[in-house]
Every structure is written in structure tokens, then in C-alpha cells.
Amino acid sequence: MITNGFTYIAVLVFIAALLVWLQRYTKSKFFDYAPPIVLLYLITMILCTLGAWDMEATKPAYSVLKNNLLYAMIFLMLLRCDIRKIIKLGPKMLGGFFAASVSISLAFIATFAIMKGPLGSEAWKALGALCGSWMGGSGNMVAVQAALDIGEADMAYALVVDSIDYSIWVMFLLWAINLAPKFNKWVKADTTTLDEVSRRLEEDAKGNEDKASFVNLIFLLGLALVISAFGQDIGAALNGAMPFLDKATWTVLLITLSGLIGAVTPVGRMAGSTELSNLLLYSVVALLASRASFLELTDAPAWILAGFMILAIHGIILVLLAKIFHLDMFTCGVASLANIGGSASAPILAGAYSGALVPVGVLMALMGYVIGTAGGLITANIMALLA
């Protein structure tokens, strides 16, 4: 059993590194269906369940790192979110994305109303965190967790659903690619705009081929850590002056604003933010999952069922909206995964359609990250009214 805090952190980071390395060098198609970040959830939770580390002895290391790294990660991720480029996606792509977001929110609310008996009246908190994740990625989940002050035991339920149900959904969407021609004909979708957007994004990508240098990496890392530190200090001060929002919520809002501003400055064009933000994302996810044991999941079957209900309702609503607004399969699928899987999965699905469309998946995932935390919190508050 690990009792040393540094050893605990080192093992978590090594597990993440090993999974990413295996995906890169084995090129196994297995990782198309079970991305490293999903496997990281499961493996870390299994190790926690098996008692690989002492929970009390390693808690100080966990407490010191989690939120500090989380806020730095949010800032770095948002540096890639140039609003000016997202506008170039066009109204139909943005409409598809928001159709997916709204359908996910409605699916969570409907599922909670149906399942609040088996799940418990307080399940809206963990579902709110899961909704944050399913509107833009794992970073939103931990942000909502911080804002709602959700304990690790409750978060374990959301993590299990996020791991198991999400993996099945990714596999389903990859399989559904084969149905794209028939689907597009059925909904009478016009893909002309999509082709033009793809061409413009390819040109933008060619204009920014700078590599992540040591100078870029150390500057971005230092800036992100400073933003994280001062953001928390200012968030605490604002909470004291205006307590209608707690410290964590103020901090997330400040970090988000800082990132969006930075994205339209030369800092947003510096290579290296992707690599650093992914490094921090994997570290934060490993930390979070390391405090969740499967032994605490006595209601896991009900939660897994609830997750599939959410996905089914989301899918039905999205297909109906596609029929009404003539949205193509690519738009619907990538919009769904940009919400539910975020930047870890949306580019994979986009690339499965065409390598030229990967930038669309990335930008839609980043859009999801922008609204994910707010969407999760709003959905959680609506579910709280139903509790």
C-alpha cells in the first residue's frame, strides 16, 4: 500500500503516461473505442478499490494539487478557443451543437424526474456534474464538482456512468458513420456549408504550424499557474463581497474570462497550450478517480441505467431536431460527442468521417467546454427544483 504522497502522484501520472504511450505506439483500434482517458478512470478506480494507496495518508497531496491544477487546466484549454474561429463554423454547425446541448440538458432533467426514487433525491448534484462533463468534457465535471461541493463518494457514481455509458455511446456513434448517406437523405441535409467550413479551417491550420518550444511551454505553464493562484485569491475576495456565488464559482468564472481574453491575443496562438492542458487534464482526472472506490457504488446499476436513459432521450430529441432543421449525420454525431466526450473524442469521430474535418471536431469540443460548466450548473439547479 502506498502511503507517500509523492509516490501516489507519481504512480497516477505514470498510469496516464503509459496509456497515452500505448495508444500512440501500438496504434491499436481498441483505443478508438476506449480512449486512454476513459481507461484512466477505470484503472485508477480499480486500484483505489483494491487499496493500492492509503486514502488518509495521501489526502494532503490530493488536496494541494487537484483544484490548483484544475484551474490552470481550464485556462490553458480556453486559450485554444478563439471565438472568432468558432463563428466561422456557420449557423447550421452552431445550431447542431446547441441542439445537442439542449437535448442533453432536457434528457438529464427527464431522467432525474423518472429515476429520482432509485437514485435518491440528492442525485441532482452528481448528475449536474455529469451533465457538465457531457456538455463539454471531463474538465467541466470537476469544475461543477468544485462549484457544488460534491464529495468524492457521490462523484463516484457520475464517474462510473461517464466511463461505461460514454464508452458505449462512442462505439455507437463510430458504428453509425456507415448510416450517414441514408441518414442525410432521410433528413434532406445539404452538406455544402460543411465542406466550405472544412476548407477554411484547413487553411487556418496551415497558417499556424509553430511547434511547442521550451520557451512556449515554460511561459504558458507559468502563466497558467499564476492565473490559477490569483484567480482563487480574487474568487475568495469576490465571494466575501458578493456571497450569492461561492468561491469556486467565482474562480471558475474568472478563469474562464481570462482564458477567452487570452485566446484572442498572441498568447492564444502560442504552440504548447494543447499539450500542457492535456497533461493537466489527465492528471486531474487521475486524481479525481483515485478517491472513488467501486465498493461505495451500491447503487451503480441504477446509475448506469440512468446514463443509458439520458443518452437514449438525447439521441431521440437530436434525431427529431435533425429532421426538422435538416442537420446532417456528421453535424449531429460530432455535436453530440463534442458535448459528451469533449476534445478527447470529438476529433476522433470527425476524423473517422474525413481527416480534413478534424478541426471542426476540435472547435466544437472547445465550444462545449466554454458552456459546459454553466450548462451543468443550470441543469443541476433545475433538477434541484424537482428533488
Side-chain angles (χ1 to χ4, degrees):
M1 178 183 290
I2 297 172
T3 57
N4 180 279
F6 179 75
T7 305
Y8 157 71
I9 298 299
V11 168
L12 293 180
V13 175
F14 176 73
I15 293 170
L18 183 61
L19 289 170
V20 173
W21 182 86
L22 287 171
Q23 180 192 37
R24 173 67 175 81
Y25 289 100
T26 65
K27 302 186 187 307
S28 171
K29 291 185 178 181
F30 169 75
F31 290 105
D32 293 340
Y33 302 98
I37 198 164
V38 175
L39 295 174
L40 181 61
Y41 281 150
L42 296 175
I43 292 172
T44 309
M45 289 178 67
I46 290 170
L47 289 175
C48 177
T49 304
L50 296 175
W53 42 79
D54 186 294
M55 299 291 279
E56 286 301 316
T58 57
K59 186 175 181 180
Y62 168 82
S63 301
V64 166
L65 286 176
K66 192 195 77 170
N67 281 347
N68 292 323
L69 295 183
L70 164 66
Y71 298 133
M73 177 202 75
I74 292 173
F75 174 75
L76 287 170
M77 280 191 167
L78 290 174
L79 286 181
R80 293 177 278 157
C81 187
D82 190 334
I83 296 298
R84 297 169 300 181
K85 289 183 180 180
I86 290 176
I87 292 174
K88 293 180 182 179
L89 291 175
K92 181 166 285 190
M93 294 294 291
L94 292 176
F97 172 81
F98 285 113
S101 300
V102 170
S103 65
I104 288 169
S105 178
L106 293 174
F108 269 91
I109 294 167
T111 299
F112 177 71
I114 297 169
M115 296 286 291
K116 66 180 178 180
L119 299 180
S121 60
E122 291 297 305
W124 63 270
K125 292 184 178 181
L127 285 174
L130 180 62
C131 183
S133 175
W134 283 9
M135 281 189 176
S138 302
N140 295 109
M141 173 185 277
V142 286
V144 174
Q145 179 194 6
L148 296 178
D149 192 25
I150 305 170
E152 277 72 29
D154 292 330
M155 278 301 297
Y157 299 117
L159 283 169
V160 167
V161 176
D162 195 34
S163 298
I164 297 174
D165 297 52
Y166 155 79
S167 297
I168 300 299
W169 190 243
V170 172
M171 287 187 275
F172 170 75
L173 291 178
L174 287 169
W175 169 81
I177 292 174
N178 298 321
L179 303 178
K182 293 181 179 179
F183 182 87
N184 293 341
K185 183 178 180 180
W186 178 64
V187 300
K188 300 178 180 178
D190 180 3
T191 61
T192 303
T193 301
L194 173 63
D195 296 336
E196 176 62 19
V197 168
S198 176
R199 184 188 64 79
R200 292 204 310 266
L201 289 173
E202 274 190 326
E203 292 175 354
D204 289 344
K206 290 178 181 178
N208 185 22
E209 296 181 346
D210 189 22
K211 293 183 179 180
S213 64
F214 168 71
V215 174
N216 284 9
L217 291 173
I218 195 167
F219 175 79
L220 289 170
L221 179 60
L223 178 62
L225 293 176
V226 165
I227 293 290
S228 174
F230 284 102
Q232 292 179 74
D233 291 339
I234 298 172
L238 289 173
N239 172 244
M242 294 175 281
F244 56 85
L245 293 178
D246 60 23
K247 174 190 170 183
T249 302
W250 277 118
T251 302
V252 169
L253 291 174
L254 287 170
I255 299 295
T256 300
L257 179 61
S258 300
L260 291 176
I261 292 173
V264 297
T265 69
V267 175
R269 295 190 293 274
M270 292 181 68
S273 62
T274 299
E275 291 80 2
L276 284 174
S277 63
N278 285 338
L279 189 155
L280 295 179
L281 173 60
Y282 275 72
S283 300
V284 170
V285 167
L287 283 166
L288 183 62
S290 72
R291 316 310 286 183
S293 170
F294 281 114
L295 297 177
E296 299 171 328
L297 303 180
T298 55
D299 295 329
W303 282 81
I304 293 172
L305 174 61
F308 284 124
M309 286 181 63
I310 292 167
L311 292 174
I313 295 171
H314 155 63
I316 292 169
I317 295 175
L318 191 56
V319 168
L320 291 175
L321 291 175
K323 181 65 174 176
I324 295 170
F325 296 106
H326 310 298
L327 301 175
D328 59 273
M329 173 69 87
F330 171 82
T331 299
C332 293
V334 175
S336 176
L337 209 52
N339 280 272
I340 294 172
S343 58
S345 303
I348 295 174
L349 184 63
Y353 279 90
S354 170
L357 295 173
V358 170
V360 176
V362 173
L363 289 174
M364 290 185 74
L366 292 172
M367 189 64 182
Y369 193 83
V370 172
I371 71 164
T373 301
L377 290 171
I378 291 170
T379 304
N381 281 298
I382 295 174
M383 287 188 289
L385 297 176
L386 301 174

